[in-house]
Amino acid sequence: MQIYKAPVSDMRFHLEAFGYDEVAAIERFSAYDVETAGVLLEQSGTFMRETLLPLNRLGDEKGLDWDPETGRVTTPDGFKAAYEATVQNGYVSLPGPEEHGGGGAPATLSALVSEMMTACNKSFSMCPGLTFGLIEAIEAHGSQAQKDFYLPKFVSGEWSGTMCLTEPQCGTDLGLIRTKAEPEGDHYRLSGTKIWITFGEHDMTENIVHFVLARLPDAPPGIKGISVFLVPKLVDGQPNNIKCVGLEHKMGIKASPTCVMEMEGAKGFLVGEPHKGMRSMFVMMNRARLFVGLEGVALGEIAYQTALEFAKDRRQSRALDPAKRDANAAADNILVHPDVRRMLMNVKATTEGMRGLGIYASIQLDKSIAHPNEDERQKADDLISLLTPVIKSYFTERGFENVSEALQVCGGSGYTTDWSIEQYLRDVRIGLIYEGTNHIQALDLVGRKLPLHGGRLMQVFAGEVTAAIRAASGDERLEPFMAELKAASKQLNEVTMELAQSAMADAEVAGAVASSYLNLFAMTAMAFSWLRQATHAVRKGGPMAETKLKTARFFFDVVLPEREFFAAQVRAGKAPMMDFDVEEFEVA
Amino acid sequence: MQIYKAPVSDMRFHLEAFGYDEVAAIERFSAYDVETAGVLLEQSGTFMRETLLPLNRLGDEKGLDWDPETGRVTTPDGFKAAYEATVQNGYVSLPGPEEHGGGGAPATLSALVSEMMTACNKSFSMCPGLTFGLIEAIEAHGSQAQKDFYLPKFVSGEWSGTMCLTEPQCGTDLGLIRTKAEPEGDHYRLSGTKIWITFGEHDMTENIVHFVLARLPDAPPGIKGISVFLVPKLVDGQPNNIKCVGLEHKMGIKASPTCVMEMEGAKGFLVGEPHKGMRSMFVMMNRARLFVGLEGVALGEIAYQTALEFAKDRRQSRALDPAKRDANAAADNILVHPDVRRMLMNVKATTEGMRGLGIYASIQLDKSIAHPNEDERQKADDLISLLTPVIKSYFTERGFENVSEALQVCGGSGYTTDWSIEQYLRDVRIGLIYEGTNHIQALDLVGRKLPLHGGRLMQVFAGEVTAAIRAASGDERLEPFMAELKAASKQLNEVTMELAQSAMADAEVAGAVASSYLNLFAMTAMAFSWLRQATHAVRKGGPMAETKLKTARFFFDVVLPEREFFAAQVRAGKAPMMDFDVEEFEVA
């Protein structure tokens, strides 16, 4: 049972609530006003459901074929045709630069299309997602010749791209990279092994271009000696010396090839300056991490819809309130049971809260890149920089919890493959790990984003919170929510001040409490999302308004109180885990 | 990579800390003093690791063969031989009644052996576990002839047993059962379909006896018209009309057959009185639910050990404290990183807390059955009745979180099959669903156990908490923990009083907050477990003492603060989910 209805009305609601009109007012995005966006989302949702969803379970069951002889990887039946249809319908080129044949759509729209694609087929969605990362990197750091040569191929979807970062001895710590690049005329020869290469080899595009981190012979040690190269599978139509020598066997995303790639003197082309490769990496991080966060929204959404469908059909036990009992049946629909509702609301309230916050962040991303006013660009850049690690980490964790909660609604049926939620749970779990583990996000927030520019990013965000509270005033239905956001924000600011002091004195404190601090931050950010939504609901009225207010109430009453727990964890400091000898971890 | 070291020292520590000597002092358990128990646990751990663990991943990968023609199910290679070895080594007969050839071991020991078996091979462990349920039911409600005929076969492991409760239209709500039993001479003919039948068909024993809930022709409707029958696969060596007509395809426990069983006039034998079948069911519930809870301990433990092994091997990034950097390597072992420690401690502190509480509860179970003093039996029965739903629900939920946390320690490697944690995560997830979903446990706690005998169960437990605090006095190292338990217990009592009032006025309130209330209860129960452990550590001294105190501190500082969140959720009442129209759940 695989069902999905694109949540387009909710998406449109957020576009309005979080100020998408400011993005549409930017000249380069003027073709995408909110009406056009709505039509595009509607079409996109239909396409994803009709074309990609039917392949989702099949891809999970059949997985991938890898030929050890040739290194070729074959995707499950139908994937290649689906990729072609996705290209033809313009979903691959949508976010690409117009001068290279792309749709030039804002990141906000692209994020929503990506949410729908991920919901319908997470494995499949990873291929176009990665290619866009290369487009961004080449746009920022490639030569004009590289742009002219590669970008049209990527934008059109004819070629796909990969990120070759990790090696067996290094994941989080890229300074340990060993892959070598030897100069040879106008190019380089690369040798080394890369692991965890998503869509490193497949049969959906005619060529695959690898974005490879490696060291030149004169590279300084560590992170300051990393250069970036483009290593195509085919150079001038001829095979290059890069080969898929194995596939990982994974818990989920089984139709997404995770390759071990071996290079033996593979031809590569330097991007940007020697030894400055990490700069090219950072270009694509905000967007990539934001999009990974949205995977938690996507899979939480489809799991919710599946669980709701199950609940609407299932009758079990009697309503606790006699007035709600169905006299014509021996048992009542399980939607009468408070706990079933609690589980569904847990998923609904957080999924919509995250979608709103994600759209708000995407809007900042678009403004940070394209707003005509420099101050606005800077402010938006501060916000997206601050929110990116929060979104990547909190959304993936909550998404995992949400899919598990939806599975629970279905009981034993949820544990079987029949309802597919178990697949969504396996698929969603990777989000906590890749694109920088969630703890790396927390360190980025605490160690980098908080102190940046003397704490300016946090001040800008606090200003947004204050503005949201001010904008809500004048309607008594919003007052309890305003008070809750104010309290959460006050607590966050206090804990932030305390942490800034203790972390300055002892770096280990920052490491010990960063993950809890990130979750505390997420609570305020989510409350901000819900107050903005509730405010918009009140102002706009209409059929969704009442439901939005009730869902907001659930969030404030049942979800937000977790902030006290996270604050207590931050305040516990480092002693509980650091006053522990290594031997004490051993099993007694 | 599958590794496991039986945590025998920790188990022995708990046996001492939680008063196992009282069980060993009971005459029928006198063969199992703490020393003998220790030896048995040591041997058992070795056996499980050597015999069952090597089959665990293989069972997951290969799964089961089912022949649609004959209905026969074949277990993975090696399972049958492993079952025979398990029988020969006495682990199947260990808890069985001595008069029928069993070891007569207390439930406490049996629980620990079961923990080790589950850790090493969860799929496999379900077969002997179920058989013991039948032993209990027949002992309590079977005729002498039934006892004499069936019990020796079950105790020896020659035959296995199943529970046939669920039907397509009913899981939680057994009143909806439709399977019919028609009298025929001294037996009955049963017809109907049962689903989710664990080990309903397999090749490890020569016969399988099904414990089937069904209706007699004159049965009153609903739950008061359920009778129980024994339906053997073979009667006098001849095939009965019961057949496995399909296997479920599941997320995990893939080597444990989950069968659809069809009966067409199958020969069955009534157990106990007509229409009183639910009584036979309840006999086995405390034990069965306690053991399911311990699955969370078992899989959390093996996942922890695996993650620790990974962490000890992996080097990545530099220690935040320069003094901890290894000058001879380019990166430090990840055990220096505070967040890796936080994740490991999260698992360790809760796993040991749960193991202690589980052993405490098992001791109560043994005393409730066998203590010579009636008052002691009653008191123990009150405690096990109250704690059973808490243990089943909280342990399985926390176990799932713990395995996920251990997976996160391993990063991308944890997501692959190489380290097997992903299998443990899939396997552990079923615990939240079967043997009564976790919400059913919460309703049992709030709706049944709290009001029982005018709240006596809760009073007995509060007495135990007070006694634990009193016993801890006199050592300043214990003072912060005493204060924390006192505060948690006070909060629990207050919330319990409030809930008793609001739930009496409105049954939906109980349903809406029961799950959060159960978690709040678990926080106090876990704090009780940790104060008892810390007290024992201080009194006993020795090499484990310091580590226990540090682990206790982690629990009190980092885990226990979540109680505020659960209390707030209980106090939010029913409005957040019940003031919501059914249509409002639909996707916008």
Side-chain angles (χ1 to χ4, degrees):
Chain A
M1 173 76 96
Q2 293 205 301
I3 52 153
Y4 182 67
K5 180 183 175 234
V8 175
S9 297
D10 194 54
M11 289 174 171
R12 287 190 61 153
F13 178 89
H14 294 294
L15 290 176
E16 294 164 15
F18 292 99
Y20 177 74
D21 53 352
E22 284 186 76
V23 172
I26 297 171
E27 202 189 334
R28 83 150 100 156
F29 299 133
S30 57
Y32 298 96
D33 62 19
V34 76
E35 280 313 311
T36 312
V39 172
L40 195 144
L41 292 173
E42 202 67 67
Q43 288 170 344
S44 166
T46 305
F47 174 82
M48 304 301 168
R49 185 180 67 242
E50 290 178 355
T51 310
L52 301 184
L53 188 59
L55 299 174
N56 196 17
R57 180 166 162 187
L58 177 146
D60 182 62
E61 285 174 351
K62 192 167 171 315
L64 300 148
D65 282 327
W66 169 68
D67 179 351
E69 199 66 37
T70 62
R72 290 282 171 83
V73 172
T74 310
T75 54
D77 286 348
F79 269 56
K80 192 168 155 56
Y83 183 81
E84 279 161 21
T86 308
V87 165
Q88 274 159 24
N89 280 272
Y91 298 116
V92 172
S93 62
L94 182 72
E98 278 178 284
E99 61 269 36
H100 297 290
T108 309
L109 267 191
S110 187
L112 294 175
V113 170
S114 176
E115 184 200 314
M116 296 188 273
M117 189 186 285
T118 304
C120 290
N121 201 320
K122 163 122 181 64
S123 281
F124 179 91
S125 74
M126 298 184 70
C127 185
L130 276 159
T131 305
F132 192 80
L134 257 74
I135 293 175
E136 279 186 299
I138 293 173
E139 271 203 296
H141 294 283
S143 66
Q144 192 57 47
Q146 286 172 334
K147 289 178 194 175
D148 292 342
F149 182 71
Y150 290 103
L151 295 184
K153 296 291 194 184
F154 289 144
V155 170
S156 68
E158 287 165 89
W159 294 4
S160 70
T162 80
M163 299 284 149
C164 294
L165 281 54
T166 309
E167 298 180 5
Q169 77 290 354
C170 68
T172 290
D173 186 356
L174 294 173
L176 302 175
I177 278 176
R178 289 184 197 144
T179 295
K180 282 180 189 159
E182 300 276 350
E184 182 185 82
D186 67 341
H187 57 265
Y188 296 80
R189 291 287 176 184
L190 280 83
S191 299
T193 303
K194 293 288 181 176
I195 62 172
W196 307 136
I197 310 309
T198 301
F199 276 96
E201 165 54 22
H202 64 89
D203 58 356
M204 304 200 305
T205 57
E206 60 173 67
N207 199 1
I208 302 169
V209 181
H210 305 278
F211 183 88
V212 181
L213 301 196
R215 286 184 187 286
L216 290 165
D218 61 342
I223 204 82
K224 289 177 178 162
I226 308 285
S227 305
V228 164
F229 303 85
L230 295 175
V231 178
K233 176 180 173 183
L234 302 175
V235 180
D236 302 329
Q238 297 304 307
N240 200 355
N241 289 325
I242 181 166
K243 186 179 169 185
C244 172
V245 296
L247 291 182
E248 302 293 340
H249 298 280
K250 308 185 300 293
M251 182 182 197
I253 50 168
K254 295 195 177 193
S256 165
T258 304
C259 306
V260 180
M261 300 300 297
E262 208 165 85
M263 290 167 284
E264 293 182 3
K267 206 168 181 177
F269 306 95
L270 183 71
V271 179
E273 293 174 52
H275 318 316
K276 304 279 188 196
M278 293 310 289
R279 276 173 35 188
S280 308
M281 288 293 311
F282 280 111
V283 167
M284 52 187 116
M285 266 185 191
N286 279 342
R287 185 182 175 114
R289 292 180 167 181
L290 172 62
F291 277 48
V292 168
L294 292 173
E295 293 172 12
V297 178
L299 290 167
E301 175 69 47
I302 192 167
Y304 171 84
Q305 293 189 22
T306 311
L308 180 62
E309 196 66 23
F310 178 90
K312 281 156 64 179
D313 181 61
R314 181 81 173 163
R315 284 177 177 270
Q316 205 74 183
S317 300
R318 276 301 185 191
L320 293 163
D321 178 353
K324 294 178 183 165
R325 291 179 192 161
D326 180 351
N328 299 314
D332 293 304
N333 181 281
I334 63 171
L335 272 173
V336 300
H337 300 317
D339 195 67
V340 171
R341 290 169 158 251
R342 183 187 62 85
M343 293 189 279
L344 287 170
M345 289 297 291
N346 250 335
V347 183
K348 182 179 169 68
T350 50
T351 298
E352 291 179 17
M354 293 191 288
R355 184 179 290 121
L357 185 60
I359 288 176
Y360 170 76
S362 309
I363 288 171
Q364 306 312 316
L365 181 58
D366 283 322
K367 287 166 70 178
S368 76
I369 294 166
H371 199 284
N373 180 298
E374 196 188 325
D375 288 348
E376 288 290 324
R377 281 203 304 278
Q378 185 60 63
K379 185 184 155 193
D381 192 65
D382 284 353
L383 288 168
I384 185 68
S385 298
L386 184 67
L387 289 173
T388 293
V390 177
I391 287 173
K392 193 280 176 180
S393 175
Y394 177 75
F395 285 23
T396 54
E397 258 176 64
R398 187 75 212 195
F400 176 66
E401 288 168 24
N402 281 352
V403 177
S404 184
E405 190 90 311
L407 189 153
Q408 190 71 13
V409 170
C410 303
S413 300
Y415 195 67
T416 69
T417 57
D418 302 352
W419 286 78
S420 289
I421 301 188
E422 67 87 27
Q423 180 190 343
Y424 306 145
L425 188 60
R426 290 182 289 104
D427 285 354
V428 78
R429 184 62 183 78
I430 188 61
L432 287 79
I433 297 169
Y434 67 12
E435 200 56 44
T437 66
N438 280 1
H439 178 60
I440 292 299
Q441 307 301 322
L443 286 181
D444 178 44
L445 175 66
V446 170
R448 218 173 137 258
K449 303 296 170 62
L450 285 188
L452 203 63
H453 308 303
R456 189 183 74 205
L457 279 52
M458 190 69 182
Q459 284 160 23
V460 173
F461 177 67
E464 288 286 283
V465 170
T466 306
I469 295 170
R470 200 179 310 120
S473 66
D475 191 307
E476 65 177 10
R477 286 172 293 177
L478 300 175
E479 274 168 20
F481 306 153
M482 290 163 64
E484 285 293 341
L485 175 57
K486 206 178 277 185
S489 173
K490 183 164 173 283
Q491 180 179 47
L492 175 63
N493 290 333
E494 286 165 5
V495 173
T496 305
M497 297 287 275
E498 292 165 23
L499 176 58
Q501 300 229 323
S502 55
M504 207 181 305
D506 184 346
E508 285 187 342
V509 173
V513 306
S515 294
S516 301
Y517 176 81
L518 184 145
N519 283 328
L520 178 68
F521 194 114
M523 290 291 99
T524 293
M526 289 285 282
F528 165 76
S529 168
W530 268 115
L531 181 63
R532 294 261 315 233
Q533 290 184 57
T535 306
H536 184 65
V538 163
R539 304 276 182 271
K540 182 185 161 85
M544 283 176 73
E546 277 306 307
T547 304
K548 277 287 179 194
L549 286 171
K550 290 179 190 174
T551 312
R553 177 190 185 169
F554 184 92
F555 172 82
F556 283 102
D557 287 1
V558 181
V559 180
L560 185 61
E562 198 171 10
R563 67 186 172 86
E564 298 290 354
F565 174 44
F566 298 132
Q569 287 188 320
V570 175
R571 285 171 169 154
K574 76 167 198 174
M577 46 286 236
M578 298 314 285
D579 284 356
F580 214 73
D581 301 329
V582 167
E583 302 71 37
E584 294 183 288
F585 285 103
E586 295 292 341
V587 174
Chain B
M1 174 75 96
Q2 293 205 300
I3 51 155
Y4 182 67
K5 180 184 175 233
V8 174
S9 298
D10 195 54
M11 290 174 170
R12 287 190 63 155
F13 178 90
H14 294 295
L15 289 177
E16 294 163 14
F18 292 99
Y20 177 74
D21 53 352
E22 284 187 76
V23 173
I26 297 170
E27 200 189 336
R28 86 147 99 154
F29 299 134
S30 58
Y32 299 96
D33 62 19
V34 76
E35 281 312 310
T36 312
V39 172
L40 195 144
L41 292 174
E42 202 67 67
Q43 287 169 344
S44 166
T46 304
F47 174 82
M48 304 301 168
R49 186 181 66 241
E50 290 177 356
T51 310
L52 301 183
L53 187 60
L55 299 174
N56 197 17
R57 182 167 162 187
L58 177 146
D60 182 61
E61 285 174 352
K62 193 169 173 310
L64 300 147
D65 281 328
W66 169 67
D67 179 350
E69 199 66 37
T70 62
R72 290 282 171 83
V73 172
T74 311
T75 54
D77 286 348
F79 270 55
K80 193 168 154 56
Y83 182 81
E84 280 160 20
T86 308
V87 165
Q88 275 159 23
N89 281 272
Y91 298 116
V92 172
S93 60
L94 182 71
E98 279 178 287
E99 62 270 35
H100 297 291
T108 309
L109 267 191
S110 186
L112 294 175
V113 171
S114 176
E115 185 201 313
M116 296 188 273
M117 189 186 284
T118 305
C120 291
N121 201 322
K122 162 119 184 64
S123 281
F124 179 91
S125 74
M126 298 183 70
C127 184
L130 276 160
T131 304
F132 192 81
L134 257 75
I135 292 176
E136 279 186 298
I138 293 173
E139 271 205 295
H141 295 282
S143 67
Q144 192 57 47
Q146 286 172 334
K147 288 179 195 175
D148 293 342
F149 183 71
Y150 290 103
L151 294 184
K153 296 288 195 185
F154 288 144
V155 170
S156 68
E158 287 167 90
W159 295 3
S160 70
T162 81
M163 299 283 148
C164 294
L165 280 56
T166 310
E167 298 180 4
Q169 78 289 353
C170 67
T172 291
D173 186 357
L174 293 173
L176 302 175
I177 278 176
R178 289 184 197 144
T179 294
K180 282 180 188 158
E182 300 276 349
E184 185 187 81
D186 67 342
H187 57 265
Y188 295 81
R189 291 287 177 184
L190 281 84
S191 300
T193 302
K194 292 287 181 178
I195 61 172
W196 308 136
I197 310 310
T198 300
F199 276 95
E201 164 55 21
H202 64 88
D203 57 357
M204 303 199 306
T205 57
E206 61 174 67
N207 199 1
I208 302 168
V209 180
H210 305 277
F211 183 88
V212 181
L213 301 196
R215 288 184 185 286
L216 291 165
D218 60 344
I223 204 79
K224 289 177 178 164
I226 308 286
S227 306
V228 164
F229 303 86
L230 294 175
V231 179
K233 175 180 171 181
L234 302 174
V235 180
D236 302 329
Q238 296 304 307
N240 199 353
N241 290 324
I242 179 165
K243 185 179 169 185
C244 172
V245 296
L247 292 182
E248 302 293 339
H249 299 279
K250 309 186 298 294
M251 183 183 195
I253 49 168
K254 294 194 176 192
S256 166
T258 305
C259 306
V260 179
M261 301 299 298
E262 207 164 86
M263 290 167 285
E264 292 182 6
K267 205 167 181 178
F269 306 94
L270 184 69
V271 179
E273 293 173 52
H275 318 316
K276 305 277 188 199
M278 293 311 288
R279 276 176 28 191
S280 309
M281 288 293 312
F282 280 112
V283 167
M284 52 187 115
M285 267 186 193
N286 279 342
R287 184 180 175 114
R289 291 179 168 183
L290 173 62
F291 277 47
V292 169
L294 292 174
E295 294 171 10
V297 178
L299 290 169
E301 175 68 46
I302 193 167
Y304 171 83
Q305 294 188 21
T306 311
L308 180 62
E309 197 65 22
F310 179 90
K312 281 158 62 181
D313 181 59
R314 181 82 172 161
R315 285 177 176 270
Q316 206 72 182
S317 299
R318 277 300 184 193
L320 293 164
D321 178 353
K324 293 178 183 165
R325 291 179 191 161
D326 180 351
N328 300 315
D332 293 303
N333 181 282
I334 64 172
L335 272 172
V336 300
H337 300 317
D339 195 66
V340 171
R341 290 170 158 252
R342 182 186 64 83
M343 292 190 279
L344 288 170
M345 290 296 294
N346 250 336
V347 182
K348 181 178 170 68
T350 49
T351 298
E352 291 179 17
M354 293 191 288
R355 184 179 291 123
L357 185 60
I359 287 177
Y360 171 77
S362 309
I363 288 171
Q364 306 312 316
L365 181 58
D366 283 322
K367 286 165 71 178
S368 76
I369 294 165
H371 199 285
N373 180 298
E374 195 187 328
D375 287 348
E376 288 292 321
R377 280 204 304 281
Q378 185 61 64
K379 186 183 154 194
D381 191 65
D382 284 355
L383 288 168
I384 185 68
S385 297
L386 184 67
L387 289 173
T388 293
V390 178
I391 286 173
K392 193 280 177 180
S393 175
Y394 178 75
F395 285 23
T396 55
E397 258 176 64
R398 187 74 212 197
F400 176 66
E401 287 168 24
N402 280 351
V403 178
S404 184
E405 190 89 310
L407 189 153
Q408 189 72 12
V409 170
C410 303
S413 299
Y415 195 67
T416 69
T417 57
D418 303 351
W419 286 78
S420 289
I421 301 188
E422 67 87 30
Q423 181 190 342
Y424 307 144
L425 188 60
R426 289 184 287 104
D427 285 354
V428 77
R429 185 61 184 77
I430 187 61
L432 287 78
I433 299 169
Y434 67 12
E435 200 56 44
T437 66
N438 280 1
H439 179 60
I440 291 300
Q441 306 301 323
L443 286 182
D444 179 45
L445 176 66
V446 169
R448 216 171 139 260
K449 303 295 169 63
L450 285 188
L452 204 63
H453 308 303
R456 189 182 74 203
L457 280 51
M458 189 70 180
Q459 284 160 22
V460 173
F461 177 67
E464 287 286 283
V465 169
T466 306
I469 294 171
R470 200 179 310 119
S473 66
D475 190 305
E476 65 177 10
R477 285 171 294 176
L478 300 175
E479 273 167 21
F481 307 153
M482 291 164 64
E484 284 293 338
L485 175 57
K486 205 178 277 184
S489 173
K490 183 165 175 282
Q491 180 180 47
L492 176 63
N493 289 334
E494 285 165 7
V495 173
T496 305
M497 298 288 275
E498 291 166 26
L499 176 58
Q501 300 231 322
S502 56
M504 206 180 304
D506 184 345
E508 284 187 343
V509 173
V513 307
S515 294
S516 300
Y517 176 82
L518 184 144
N519 283 328
L520 178 68
F521 194 115
M523 290 290 98
T524 293
M526 288 285 282
F528 165 76
S529 167
W530 267 117
L531 181 62
R532 294 262 314 231
Q533 290 185 56
T535 305
H536 184 65
V538 164
R539 304 276 181 270
K540 180 186 164 80
M544 283 177 72
E546 278 305 305
T547 305
K548 277 289 178 194
L549 285 171
K550 290 180 189 174
T551 312
R553 177 188 185 171
F554 185 92
F555 173 81
F556 282 102
D557 285 1
V558 182
V559 180
L560 185 61
E562 198 171 11
R563 67 186 172 86
E564 297 290 353
F565 175 43
F566 299 132
Q569 286 187 321
V570 175
R571 285 171 168 154
K574 76 168 197 173
M577 47 286 239
M578 298 314 285
D579 283 357
F580 214 72
D581 300 330
V582 168
E583 301 71 36
E584 293 183 290
F585 286 104
E586 295 290 343
V587 175

